[in-house]
Amino acid sequence: MRRRIARRYAAERRFRWLGLGAIVLSAAFLFFLIITMVMQGAAGFLETRVQLPIDFRAAELNVTPEQLRGDRGDLALAGAGLEGVVDAAAGAAFPTAGGAELLSDGAWLRVRNAVKANPALLRQQVVIDVPVNSDVDMAFKRAGTPAAERIVSAMGDRLSSGLNHDFFGGADSSDPTRVGIWGALKGSLLTMLVTLLIAFPVGVLSALYLEEYAPRNRWTDLIEVSINNLAAVPSIIFGLLGLAVFLNTFGLPRSAPIVGGLTLALMTMPVIVIAGRNAIKAVPPSIRDAALGVGASPVQVVFHHVLPLALPGILTGTIIGMARALGETAPLLMIGMRAFIAAPPEGLTDPATVLPVQIFLWSDEVARGFVEKTSAAIIVLLVFLLAMNGLAIYLRNRFETRW
Amino acid sequence: MSHKINAHNVNVFYGEKQAIRNVSIDVDQEDVTAFIGPSGCGKSTFLRTLNRMNDTVASARVEGDIRLDGEDIYSKDMDVVQLRARVGMVFQKPNPFPKSIYENVAYGPRIHGLASGKAELDTIVEQSLTRAGLWSEVKDRLSDSGTALSGGQQQRLCIARAIAVDPEVILMDEPCSALDPIATARIEELIHDLRGRYAIVIVTHNMQQAARVSQKTAFFHLGELVEYGDTNDIFTNPREQRTTDYITGRYG
Ligand SMILES: Nc1ncnc2c1ncn2[C@@H]1O[C@H](COP(=O)(O)OP(=O)(O)OP(=O)(O)O)[C@@H](O)[C@H]1O
Ligand SMILES: [Mg+2]
């Protein structure tokens, strides 16, 4: 008797240790992932700048501050030949370090922005911080090629580090110092918006119909089996479907968030239907009886009682489905979202890319500067995902019924 | 004919299986009518035919003629929603909505448009809770959840909810089976008070309860109505041997 009790306690202890071990192991993996991402990616949000002295008085610019202040200022600035002035200034300032080669391709844009903000600069001699090229950037942050290392040590304290604002505002580029995540982020947002607007109402209404109205017969059984299978279909097949239906049949534009959203909606819908049906099924029948008993019509029962009680479950399922859609790459590649897109999309039909595809594209680049950009993009994607999950938890708690 | 409900030759089937055989019964407006009988004999089934709650069971089929004030409730012209507002129901397990006490009672009047303003709705809620004997206990906590009440209070809240739509008949399916003796006594008292205002039909497994609260009693057995008459007669002088056996506890 006593031995049996001792054995039972031992079994319980073993089980507890096993469970604890599993948790520790998964936490360790997660921790490792986050640490490496942050270590690699944090530098991706930073840029290296060099102080570039420019003497506008000596430069041959065919523009005056007065022209810039007029309403055709942008045009005047575009034709001013600023790029040449910047190159010349760099050649003069860093003759041993490669001159204009030292700077990022986007360096002159900083100068342009500075002049735009303060046209009076055109009559002055100024020093402007501009981004350096990828090799020097790498060498300054961590370690680079021997040549770049030599430049870094020669430049000394004329180099500095700062937050890369362009990363949050720009889109893809072939120069790693000029790329931005905003294009992909906006593409993801627009795509998710389309997915949500299509998949949520259609999914919830299907779930409601199947649970509340559909007769139980062979057809509904068939539909049920189909939906369950649909949820397990590999996502690339949805991509092919989207390609065939939305692009070839309906002739929607390639690479557009609307097509991506529709394709992902096809994929998300079954998840929402299944989660919705389970949530609706979990509403106790006694509540339906109670509502019917006081003379509520079937529609009133659904909208006043069943749906509010099922909502936390439906929302949780929706967000899980959306999170999955947010991370999808394969189906979007099929509909052409892998193109090089250098400007953030302006609308649902503009060419766009999304975060995971952008990560995939950058991870494929050979230039070393893209490694940290890839990690930085992963951090942005993970933050987006965490925000969505946080929203799910908030909504669930907000609408949860306390019995 | 001052009968509130006339049921004539009612048969109920669940798929192939017949749960009610040829039952005819008349329910009076002034009476409390009790349905008794062993478990599975079809009391609930028959009760639920009276406000067409059986419509929600896909396999259920009802035959026969059931009239409320002479109107056939299974005719095409009868609106089920309207019918259920006229014939309210209280269930075995208290099932308040997971909403505030006020909302529980106000829900029915609101969907039927019985109150034209907040003040009127307040009056209906207070009146219903008062009639259900719950007002003094909850008047300071109307915004608390209905599910936070005790079982007995919840059942009275369900009765208040049924009363609030001003029904003509109230059906109660074992309303006290989940309650302790004191809460049961309160419900029985309440049924006494409500008698006359509403025709009440109550299903119970408790002989004493049937004897205490009802004027008419119907004894069901295996889907048949064995005996129906004044409660006094049924309990003191039953005509059928089966009734005697059941009441004296020979089976149950
Ligand atoms: N939804 C249903 N589907 C199929 N058969 C049912 C259904 N509901 C009840 N029955 C059957 O109908 C018969 C009568 O059931 P009913 O619930 O009316 O009995 P009851 O007298 O209320 O019993 P109890 O006193 O235990 O509540 C039983 O044999 C039961 O199995
Ligand atoms: Mg029953």
Side-chain angles (χ1 to χ4, degrees):
Chain A
M1 187 64 189
R2 185 168 295 152
R3 273 186 48 213
R4 284 242 316 261
I5 293 178
R7 267 219 309 278
R8 203 179 70 216
Y9 282 160
E12 264 174 40
R13 246 193 327 270
R14 260 200 316 276
F15 185 70
R16 207 166 51 224
W17 282 115
L18 271 176
L20 199 65
I23 299 246
V24 167
L25 193 67
S26 45
F29 274 129
L30 198 66
F31 191 68
F32 180 72
L33 178 81
I34 291 177
I35 290 295
T36 41
M37 280 304 128
V38 170
M39 299 245 292
Q40 297 250 339
F45 296 108
L46 301 178
E47 64 180 6
T48 307
R49 299 174 193 149
V50 65
Q51 296 168 349
L52 175 67
I54 305 182
D55 188 356
F56 284 112
R57 293 167 305 185
E60 286 166 16
L61 269 177
N62 36 17
V63 68
T64 64
E66 288 67 38
Q67 276 176 313
L68 283 190
R69 291 201 185 88
D71 46 349
R72 311 196 59 180
D74 281 356
L75 214 60
L77 193 57
L82 210 52
E83 219 172 334
V85 172
V86 172
D87 282 359
F94 324 114
T96 53
E101 290 289 292
L102 177 70
L103 304 185
S104 152
D105 291 353
W108 72 277
L109 292 171
R110 294 293 166 85
V111 177
R112 187 193 66 179
N113 290 346
V115 171
K116 208 151 111 182
N118 182 11
L121 290 182
L122 289 181
R123 301 214 197 290
Q124 296 168 17
Q125 181 172 19
V126 292
V127 176
I128 298 177
D129 273 351
V130 296
V132 298
N133 74 28
S134 183
D135 283 347
V136 178
D137 182 47
M138 288 283 97
F140 185 72
K141 279 172 182 164
R142 234 187 299 269
T145 58
E149 292 282 5
R150 273 197 301 279
I151 293 176
V152 168
S153 52
M155 300 296 286
D157 55 4
R158 290 157 79 185
L159 291 176
S160 64
S161 209
L163 192 63
N164 187 348
H165 297 285
D166 290 350
F167 186 67
F168 300 102
D172 205 359
S173 164
S174 51
D175 177 356
T177 59
R178 289 186 66 185
V179 299
I181 198 66
W182 173 239
L185 187 61
K186 195 171 176 193
S188 271
L189 281 170
L190 291 173
T191 307
M192 287 294 107
L193 189 73
V194 174
T195 304
L196 185 67
L197 288 182
I198 305 275
F200 185 71
V202 176
V204 171
L205 287 177
S206 312
L208 273 178
Y209 177 79
L210 285 173
E211 276 307 309
E212 297 289 325
Y213 293 101
R216 291 268 168 279
N217 58 29
R218 215 162 336 127
W219 289 112
T220 43
D221 283 351
L222 190 70
I223 291 177
E224 177 160 3
V225 171
S226 311
I227 290 176
N228 288 345
N229 282 329
L230 218 52
V233 166
S235 56
I236 190 138
I237 294 172
F238 284 104
L240 277 171
L241 189 68
L243 175 67
V245 175
F246 300 125
L247 295 188
N248 295 347
T249 308
F250 291 122
L252 290 170
R254 286 178 76 81
S255 306
I258 180 127
V259 180
L262 285 168
T263 307
L264 293 179
L266 290 180
M267 208 186 80
T268 312
M269 222 137 48
V271 178
I272 297 182
V273 174
I274 291 172
R277 289 187 67 177
N278 287 335
I280 291 166
K281 235 180 260 174
V283 174
S286 64
I287 295 297
R288 290 166 220 260
D289 283 348
L292 289 172
V294 292
S297 69
V299 173
Q300 286 171 330
V301 173
V302 166
F303 284 97
H304 295 168
H305 300 283
V306 175
L307 203 53
L309 289 173
L311 203 57
I314 295 176
L315 289 177
T316 310
T318 304
I319 303 235
I320 289 174
M322 294 292 291
R324 192 184 144 206
L326 176 66
E328 270 310 332
T329 319
L332 299 180
L333 297 180
M334 299 305 298
I335 56 148
M337 278 186 132
R338 66 168 305 162
F340 175 82
I341 311 248
E346 291 297 323
L348 292 178
T349 50
D350 281 358
T353 189
V354 294
L355 286 169
V357 174
Q358 188 72 82
I359 291 168
F360 169 73
L361 292 175
W362 285 351
S363 70
D364 223 22
E365 292 279 349
V366 276
R368 285 186 63 246
F370 275 106
V371 174
E372 59 176 28
K373 297 297 170 191
T374 308
S375 298
I378 290 173
I379 291 177
V380 171
L381 177 61
L382 289 181
V383 168
F384 195 168
L385 265 175
L386 284 183
M388 263 171 77
N389 283 331
L391 184 71
I393 292 168
Y394 170 77
L395 288 175
R396 198 168 56 216
N397 291 342
R398 172 89 177 55
F399 290 111
E400 190 123 78
T401 324
R402 271 159 284 278
W403 293 91
Chain B
M1 287 272 279
S2 74
H3 296 311
K4 190 70 190 168
I5 297 176
N6 307 85
H8 193 67
N9 285 343
V10 175
N11 291 292
V12 182
F13 301 85
Y14 288 113
E16 291 296 292
K17 191 166 156 291
Q18 187 162 8
I20 289 290
R21 287 165 205 280
N22 236 354
V23 170
S24 301
I25 229 171
D26 296 325
V27 173
D28 281 331
Q29 169 69 54
E30 304 79 33
D31 288 342
V32 174
T33 306
F35 291 175
I36 60 172
S39 190
C41 67
K43 307 177 295 289
S44 300
T45 300
F46 186 70
L47 191 73
R48 289 162 62 93
T49 59
L50 300 182
N51 69 344
R52 291 184 57 176
M53 280 301 273
N54 279 337
D55 289 11
T56 59
V57 181
S59 64
R61 199 173 84 244
V62 179
E63 285 173 3
D65 185 51
I66 303 177
R67 288 175 183 278
L68 176 68
D69 283 335
E71 281 175 76
D72 181 359
I73 66 169
Y74 279 87
S75 85
K76 284 201 178 61
D77 303 331
M78 177 57 74
D79 178 46
V80 182
V81 167
Q82 218 48 47
L83 171 71
R84 293 200 189 120
R86 288 171 67 188
V87 183
M89 189 152 196
V90 176
F91 297 84
Q92 175 169 3
K93 221 178 102 220
N95 55 355
F97 299 130
K99 299 181 180 192
S100 72
I101 294 171
Y102 183 94
E103 279 304 316
N104 262 281
V105 182
Y107 180 68
R110 197 173 276 152
I111 59 173
H112 294 295
L114 298 185
S116 58
K118 174 86 171 97
E120 211 168 317
L121 197 58
D122 287 351
T123 315
I124 293 179
V125 170
E126 174 171 354
Q127 199 175 44
S128 308
L129 284 169
T130 308
R131 280 193 196 145
L134 194 59
W135 177 249
S136 57
E137 289 159 65
V138 301
K139 63 172 187 287
D140 301 320
R141 42 189 287 215
L142 288 176
S143 54
D144 285 12
S145 171
T147 51
L149 296 171
S150 77
Q153 289 173 322
Q154 285 187 17
Q155 196 60 298
R156 277 180 282 148
L157 177 62
C158 292
I159 294 175
R161 183 174 65 190
I163 292 172
V165 291
D166 202 23
E168 298 159 32
V169 183
I170 300 179
L171 310 174
M172 300 186 180
D173 194 351
E174 301 185 43
C176 303
S177 65
L179 306 182
D180 69 62
I182 294 171
T184 300
R186 297 227 36 185
I187 303 271
E188 287 181 15
E189 240 173 77
L190 175 58
I191 293 172
H192 256 296
D193 297 341
L194 297 177
R195 181 190 157 204
R197 185 183 289 276
Y198 314 100
I200 296 176
V201 183
I202 176 172
V203 171
T204 175
H205 272 281
N206 181 329
M207 293 315 125
Q208 284 81 27
Q209 184 171 66
R212 279 192 303 262
V213 301
S214 72
Q215 286 72 51
K216 290 278 180 62
T217 297
F219 172 58
F220 287 80
H221 186 226
L222 297 176
E224 289 169 32
L225 178 62
V226 177
E227 198 168 342
Y228 178 47
D230 286 346
T231 300
N232 269 337
D233 294 344
I234 298 264
F235 280 94
T236 55
N237 192 13
R239 272 172 287 128
E240 295 273 337
Q241 184 60 39
R242 282 189 286 175
T243 319
T244 318
D245 289 349
Y246 181 69
I247 291 170
T248 55
R250 207 117 5 122
Y251 53 63

Coordinates of all heavy atoms in Angstrom, one line a residue, chain A residues 11-50:
Chain A
A11 N 5.7 9.1 -9.8 CA 5.3 9.3 -11.2 C 4.8 10.8 -11.4 O 5.1 11.4 -12.4 CB 4.1 8.4 -11.4
E12 N 4.2 11.3 -10.3 CA 3.7 12.7 -10.5 C 4.9 13.7 -10.6 O 4.9 14.6 -11.3 CB 2.9 13.1 -9.3 CG 1.4 12.9 -9.6 CD 0.5 13.2 -8.4 OE1 0.8 14.1 -7.6 OE2 -0.5 12.5 -8.2
R13 N 5.9 13.4 -9.7 CA 7.1 14.2 -9.7 C 7.8 14.1 -11.1 O 8.1 15.2 -11.7 CB 8.1 13.8 -8.7 CG 8.3 14.8 -7.6 CD 9.5 14.5 -6.7 NE 9.8 13.1 -6.5 CZ 9.2 12.3 -5.5 NH1 8.4 12.9 -4.6 NH2 9.6 11.1 -5.3
R14 N 7.9 12.9 -11.6 CA 8.6 12.8 -13.0 C 7.8 13.6 -14.0 O 8.4 14.3 -14.8 CB 8.5 11.3 -13.4 CG 9.9 10.6 -13.1 CD 9.9 9.3 -14.0 NE 8.7 8.5 -14.0 CZ 8.5 7.6 -13.0 NH1 9.2 7.4 -12.0 NH2 7.4 6.8 -13.1
F15 N 6.5 13.5 -13.9 CA 5.7 14.1 -14.9 C 5.9 15.7 -14.8 O 6.0 16.3 -15.8 CB 4.2 13.8 -14.7 CG 3.3 14.4 -15.7 CD1 3.3 13.9 -17.0 CD2 2.4 15.4 -15.4 CE1 2.5 14.4 -18.0 CE2 1.6 15.9 -16.4 CZ 1.6 15.4 -17.7
R16 N 6.0 16.1 -13.6 CA 6.1 17.6 -13.4 C 7.5 18.0 -14.0 O 7.6 19.0 -14.7 CB 6.0 18.0 -11.9 CG 5.5 19.4 -11.8 CD 5.1 19.7 -10.4 NE 6.0 19.4 -9.4 CZ 5.6 18.9 -8.2 NH1 4.4 18.6 -8.0 NH2 6.5 18.6 -7.3
W17 N 8.5 17.2 -13.7 CA 9.8 17.6 -14.2 C 9.9 17.6 -15.8 O 10.5 18.4 -16.4 CB 10.9 16.7 -13.7 CG 11.3 17.1 -12.3 CD1 11.1 16.3 -11.1 CD2 11.9 18.3 -11.8 NE1 11.5 17.0 -10.0 CE2 12.0 18.2 -10.4 CE3 12.3 19.4 -12.5 CZ2 12.5 19.2 -9.6 CZ3 12.8 20.5 -11.7 CH2 12.9 20.4 -10.3
L18 N 9.2 16.6 -16.3 CA 9.2 16.5 -17.8 C 8.5 17.7 -18.4 O 9.0 18.3 -19.3 CB 8.4 15.2 -18.2 CG 9.2 14.0 -18.4 CD1 8.3 12.8 -18.7 CD2 10.2 14.1 -19.4
G19 N 7.4 18.1 -17.8 CA 6.6 19.3 -18.3 C 7.5 20.5 -18.2 O 7.6 21.3 -19.1
L20 N 8.1 20.7 -17.0 CA 9.0 21.8 -16.8 C 10.1 21.8 -17.8 O 10.4 22.9 -18.4 CB 9.5 21.8 -15.3 CG 10.0 23.1 -14.8 CD1 8.9 24.1 -14.6 CD2 10.7 22.9 -13.4
G21 N 10.7 20.7 -18.0 CA 11.8 20.6 -19.0 C 11.4 21.0 -20.3 O 12.1 21.8 -21.0
A22 N 10.2 20.6 -20.7 CA 9.7 21.0 -22.1 C 9.5 22.5 -22.2 O 9.9 23.1 -23.2 CB 8.3 20.3 -22.3
I23 N 9.0 23.1 -21.1 CA 8.8 24.5 -21.1 C 10.1 25.2 -21.2 O 10.3 26.2 -22.0 CB 8.1 25.0 -19.9 CG1 6.7 24.4 -19.8 CG2 8.0 26.5 -19.8 CD1 5.5 25.3 -20.0
V24 N 11.1 24.8 -20.4 CA 12.4 25.4 -20.4 C 13.1 25.3 -21.7 O 13.6 26.3 -22.3 CB 13.3 24.8 -19.3 CG1 14.7 25.2 -19.5 CG2 12.8 25.2 -17.9
L25 N 12.9 24.1 -22.4 CA 13.5 23.9 -23.7 C 13.0 24.9 -24.7 O 13.7 25.6 -25.4 CB 13.3 22.5 -24.1 CG 14.2 22.0 -25.3 CD1 15.6 22.0 -24.9 CD2 13.7 20.7 -25.8
S26 N 11.6 25.0 -24.7 CA 11.0 25.9 -25.8 C 11.3 27.3 -25.4 O 11.6 28.1 -26.4 CB 9.5 25.6 -25.9 OG 8.9 25.6 -24.6
A27 N 11.4 27.7 -24.2 CA 11.7 29.1 -23.8 C 13.1 29.4 -24.2 O 13.4 30.5 -24.7 CB 11.6 29.3 -22.3
A28 N 14.0 28.4 -24.1 CA 15.4 28.6 -24.5 C 15.5 28.8 -26.0 O 16.3 29.7 -26.4 CB 16.3 27.4 -24.0
F29 N 14.8 28.0 -26.7 CA 14.8 28.2 -28.2 C 14.4 29.6 -28.6 O 15.0 30.3 -29.4 CB 13.9 27.2 -28.9 CG 14.6 25.9 -29.2 CD1 14.1 24.7 -28.8 CD2 15.8 25.9 -29.8 CE1 14.7 23.5 -29.0 CE2 16.5 24.7 -30.1 CZ 15.9 23.5 -29.6
L30 N 13.3 30.0 -27.9 CA 12.7 31.3 -28.2 C 13.7 32.4 -27.9 O 13.9 33.4 -28.6 CB 11.4 31.5 -27.4 CG 10.5 32.6 -27.9 CD1 9.9 32.2 -29.3 CD2 9.3 32.7 -26.9
F31 N 14.3 32.3 -26.7 CA 15.3 33.2 -26.2 C 16.4 33.4 -27.2 O 16.8 34.5 -27.6 CB 15.7 32.8 -24.8 CG 16.5 33.8 -24.1 CD1 15.9 35.0 -23.6 CD2 17.9 33.6 -23.9 CE1 16.7 35.9 -23.0 CE2 18.6 34.6 -23.2 CZ 18.0 35.7 -22.8
F32 N 16.9 32.2 -27.6 CA 18.0 32.2 -28.6 C 17.7 32.9 -29.9 O 18.4 33.7 -30.4 CB 18.4 30.7 -28.9 CG 19.5 30.5 -29.8 CD1 20.8 30.8 -29.4 CD2 19.2 30.0 -31.1 CE1 21.8 30.6 -30.3 CE2 20.3 29.9 -32.0 CZ 21.6 30.1 -31.6
L33 N 16.4 32.6 -30.3 CA 16.0 33.2 -31.6 C 15.9 34.7 -31.4 O 16.5 35.5 -32.2 CB 14.6 32.7 -31.9 CG 13.9 33.3 -33.1 CD1 14.5 32.6 -34.4 CD2 12.4 33.2 -33.1
I34 N 15.3 35.2 -30.3 CA 15.2 36.6 -30.1 C 16.5 37.3 -30.0 O 16.8 38.3 -30.6 CB 14.3 36.9 -28.9 CG1 12.9 36.5 -29.2 CG2 14.4 38.4 -28.5 CD1 11.9 36.6 -28.1
I35 N 17.4 36.7 -29.2 CA 18.8 37.3 -29.0 C 19.5 37.4 -30.3 O 20.0 38.5 -30.6 CB 19.6 36.4 -28.0 CG1 19.0 36.5 -26.6 CG2 21.0 36.9 -28.0 CD1 19.1 37.9 -26.0
T36 N 19.5 36.3 -31.1 CA 20.3 36.4 -32.4 C 19.7 37.5 -33.3 O 20.4 38.2 -33.9 CB 20.3 35.1 -33.1 OG1 19.1 34.5 -33.0 CG2 21.4 34.2 -32.6
M37 N 18.3 37.5 -33.3 CA 17.7 38.4 -34.2 C 18.0 39.9 -33.8 O 18.4 40.7 -34.6 CB 16.2 38.3 -34.1 CG 15.6 37.2 -35.0 SD 16.2 37.4 -36.7 CE 16.8 35.8 -37.0
V38 N 17.9 40.1 -32.5 CA 18.2 41.5 -32.0 C 19.6 41.9 -32.3 O 20.0 43.0 -32.7 CB 17.8 41.6 -30.5 CG1 18.3 43.0 -30.0 CG2 16.3 41.5 -30.4
M39 N 20.6 40.9 -32.0 CA 22.0 41.2 -32.1 C 22.3 41.5 -33.6 O 23.0 42.4 -33.9 CB 22.8 40.0 -31.7 CG 22.6 39.7 -30.2 SD 24.1 39.9 -29.3 CE 25.1 38.7 -29.9
Q40 N 21.7 40.7 -34.5 CA 22.0 40.9 -35.9 C 21.3 42.1 -36.5 O 21.8 42.8 -37.3 CB 21.5 39.6 -36.7 CG 22.2 38.4 -36.3 CD 23.1 37.9 -37.5 OE1 22.9 38.3 -38.6 NE2 24.0 37.1 -37.1
G41 N 20.0 42.2 -36.0 CA 19.1 43.1 -36.7 C 19.2 44.5 -36.1 O 18.9 45.5 -36.9
A42 N 19.6 44.7 -34.9 CA 19.5 46.0 -34.3 C 20.4 47.0 -35.1 O 20.0 48.1 -35.4 CB 20.0 46.0 -32.8
A43 N 21.6 46.5 -35.6 CA 22.4 47.4 -36.4 C 21.8 47.8 -37.7 O 22.1 48.8 -38.3 CB 23.8 46.7 -36.6
G44 N 20.8 47.0 -38.1 CA 20.1 47.3 -39.4 C 19.3 48.5 -39.3 O 19.0 49.1 -40.3
F45 N 18.9 48.9 -38.1 CA 18.2 50.2 -37.9 C 19.1 51.4 -37.9 O 18.6 52.5 -37.8 CB 17.3 50.1 -36.7 CG 16.3 49.0 -36.7 CD1 16.4 47.9 -35.9 CD2 15.2 49.2 -37.5 CE1 15.4 46.9 -36.0 CE2 14.2 48.2 -37.6 CZ 14.3 47.1 -36.8
L46 N 20.4 51.1 -37.8 CA 21.3 52.3 -37.7 C 22.0 52.5 -39.1 O 22.1 51.6 -39.9 CB 22.4 52.0 -36.7 CG 21.8 51.7 -35.3 CD1 22.9 51.4 -34.3 CD2 21.0 52.9 -34.8
E47 N 22.6 53.7 -39.2 CA 23.4 54.0 -40.4 C 24.6 54.7 -39.9 O 24.7 55.2 -38.9 CB 22.6 54.8 -41.4 CG 22.3 56.2 -40.9 CD 21.6 57.1 -41.8 OE1 21.2 56.6 -42.9 OE2 21.4 58.3 -41.5
T48 N 25.7 54.6 -40.8 CA 26.9 55.3 -40.5 C 27.0 56.5 -41.3 O 26.7 56.5 -42.5 CB 28.1 54.4 -40.8 OG1 27.9 53.1 -40.1 CG2 29.4 55.0 -40.3
R49 N 27.3 57.6 -40.7 CA 27.4 58.9 -41.4 C 28.7 59.5 -41.4 O 29.5 59.2 -40.4 CB 26.4 59.9 -40.8 CG 24.9 59.4 -40.8 CD 24.1 60.4 -40.1 NE 22.8 59.8 -39.9 CZ 22.0 60.1 -38.8 NH1 22.4 60.9 -37.9 NH2 20.8 59.5 -38.7
V50 N 29.0 60.3 -42.4 CA 30.3 61.0 -42.4 C 30.0 62.5 -42.5 O 29.1 62.9 -43.2 CB 31.2 60.4 -43.5 CG1 30.6 60.7 -44.9 CG2 32.6 61.0 -43.4

